[in-house]
Amino acid sequence: MGIAEFARDGRVVVGDRPGAAVVAAVSGFLLLDLVAKLAGTTVFFLGTRLLGGSLTVASLLSMVVDGLLVGLAVGLAGIGLSMTYSILDFANFAHGDTVTVGAFLGWVAAYITAGLGTGAPISELFMLNSGRQLSTVSTFIPVLLGLVIAGVGSIGIVLLIDRLTYRPMRDTDNISLLIASIGVALALRYLIAFVFGTQTSGVASGGLRVTLFSMISVTDNEITLLVVSVLLMLGVHLLLQRTKLGKAMRAMADNEDLARVTGIPTERVIRLTWILGGGLAGIGGYLLVLESGTISFNFGWILLLLIFAAVIVGGIGSIYGAMAGGILIGLVDSLALIWLPSGLTRASAFLVLIVVLLLRPSGIFGGVSTA
């Protein structure tokens, strides 16, 4: 390609897709600013800092690790939301509060198990206010048991909700299901607030800190989040690609009527969708609390915005899109601290959502496809 052809193609891109040109320009400026910060160089224009500053490589890597960890948990929780949309064809606004319920069930189980034999009253252990901080290394069995209870408990909750609320409305329009899910979300959230109160409880703290490459410091709880999330995502991949259940789920996502005609037990697939999605939501919430150390009655509702952003960025209905979108949103939310105050980083995640929808409305993976 000659210089003239390259210039002509550049003008075509700028003229036909000005949004892409603006995104490219802003991305280029941020990258240049990041390089200048890492180099410790500052560029001033008319007495105002134009770009640059100070940022160490260790700080940058720490932000990347934090974003990756949060992104993995968000992606894990997003899988269930994406599956619900692709197979049941409605946006489940109760998904965030399912994350909260699973986390509370898991941490109550972990707290009670860890407190047995210590003389602490069961009521204090149940309310998560004994003041003890759990970690994977110091209280491995309670943390592991809590992880299992978080998944199993959230599965029981979503199956009960489906049986009482969604299943009788299965043949109604999607708007009715969406509104019903909002009602379920409110019921779950304020039931938790009624039982556990509205305060934020500290329940976990890293018991072991490991330094990698002399720059990155991670705790045992963060390593647990990383390992469990990757293994579960790998398990979902194998389930979708290597099992009859996975094929049935993909078939229902593509065409439910055709799947029913060909003999696929659609109601069983729906039930298994709730089991898989609910279990992953509860485990994702439990792992996020393990990493952050705190839990509150509305943290899943707040997290739901990030989960929706991740699912939409990845391509709503796509399981792999939910995974990739979660990691991308987590990284953006963390790296935005380089340029924005901590209170505005969440806005950057939604800015990325808007940009992706403008450039690729169907999301990164595109289309409504379980796989």
Side-chain angles (χ1 to χ4, degrees):
M1 178 183 292
I3 295 178
E5 293 179 352
F6 180 82
R8 184 177 66 252
D9 290 344
R11 288 194 298 269
V12 169
V13 170
V14 173
D16 293 347
R17 303 184 65 185
V22 172
V23 170
V26 172
S27 301
F29 174 80
L30 293 178
L31 180 60
L32 182 62
D33 182 59
L34 177 60
V35 172
K37 281 180 167 61
L38 291 174
T41 302
T42 305
V43 178
F44 290 93
F45 180 74
L46 298 177
T48 303
R49 189 177 71 180
L50 182 63
L51 53 80
S54 178
L55 179 68
T56 64
V57 175
S59 297
L60 176 62
L61 291 177
S62 178
M63 291 179 185
V64 170
V65 171
D66 289 342
L68 178 63
L69 291 172
V70 173
L72 283 171
V74 169
L76 198 65
I79 291 173
L81 185 64
S82 193
M83 290 175 62
T84 303
Y85 181 85
S86 63
I87 294 178
L88 301 179
D89 197 27
F90 84 100
N92 181 17
F93 275 79
H95 193 74
D97 293 282
T98 302
V99 171
T100 308
V101 170
F104 267 96
L105 290 173
W107 280 105
V108 166
Y111 238 58
I112 291 177
T113 305
L116 292 177
T118 63
I122 294 295
S123 59
E124 286 190 1
L125 297 174
F126 180 84
M127 296 301 295
L128 305 175
N129 60 7
S130 71
R132 185 173 184 182
Q133 305 287 301
L134 307 187
S135 71
T136 304
V137 169
S138 62
T139 52
F140 176 75
I141 297 300
V143 169
L144 179 61
L145 177 64
L147 181 71
V148 174
I149 295 299
V152 174
S154 57
I155 288 173
I157 292 295
V158 296
L159 288 178
L160 179 63
I161 292 171
D162 178 58
R163 183 66 182 86
L164 297 178
T165 306
Y166 300 137
R167 187 173 177 182
M169 301 176 63
R170 197 88 80 207
D171 296 327
T172 61
D173 59 280
N174 299 338
I175 299 298
S176 298
L177 284 169
L178 186 149
I179 294 173
S181 73
I182 295 175
V184 170
L186 292 171
L188 290 176
R189 191 177 322 142
Y190 291 105
L191 177 61
I192 293 173
F194 176 77
V195 175
F196 294 97
T198 58
Q199 75 281 357
T200 298
S201 302
V203 294
S205 178
L208 175 67
R209 186 167 290 275
V210 180
T211 302
L212 305 176
F213 308 112
S214 302
M215 290 185 291
I216 306 173
S217 180
V218 294
T219 66
D220 53 334
N221 292 344
E222 292 171 339
I223 293 173
T224 301
L225 188 155
L226 175 65
V227 173
V228 173
S229 298
V230 170
L231 289 177
L232 286 175
M233 288 182 176
L234 178 61
V236 171
H237 164 73
L238 295 176
L239 173 70
L240 290 174
Q241 301 296 334
R242 303 292 179 85
T243 67
K244 291 183 178 180
L245 171 61
K247 294 178 181 178
M249 294 174 71
R250 285 187 282 142
M252 275 200 64
D254 291 338
N255 192 319
E256 182 179 350
D257 293 331
L258 181 60
R260 185 178 289 108
V261 169
T262 55
I264 293 177
T266 55
E267 196 60 40
R268 184 184 303 174
V269 172
I270 290 173
R271 185 164 58 250
L272 291 173
T273 299
W274 283 117
I275 290 174
L276 185 59
L280 292 176
I283 291 173
Y286 181 87
L287 291 174
L288 271 174
V289 174
L290 181 67
E291 187 268 339
S292 67
T294 60
I295 188 170
S296 62
F297 80 103
N298 63 346
F299 94 92
W301 169 249
I302 297 172
L303 185 68
L304 182 64
L305 297 176
L306 279 185
I307 296 174
F308 264 113
V311 168
I312 294 171
V313 164
I316 189 164
S318 170
I319 300 302
Y320 300 129
M323 299 177 188
I327 293 173
L328 176 60
I329 291 296
L331 287 173
V332 169
D333 186 51
S334 179
L335 293 176
L337 281 170
I338 298 173
W339 297 280
L340 297 173
S342 59
L344 296 178
T345 56
R346 191 60 52 88
S348 64
F350 293 102
L351 180 61
V352 169
L353 167 63
I354 293 171
V355 169
V356 170
L357 291 179
L358 287 174
L359 299 180
R360 187 178 175 82
S362 59
I364 296 174
F365 278 70
V368 180
S369 173
T370 303

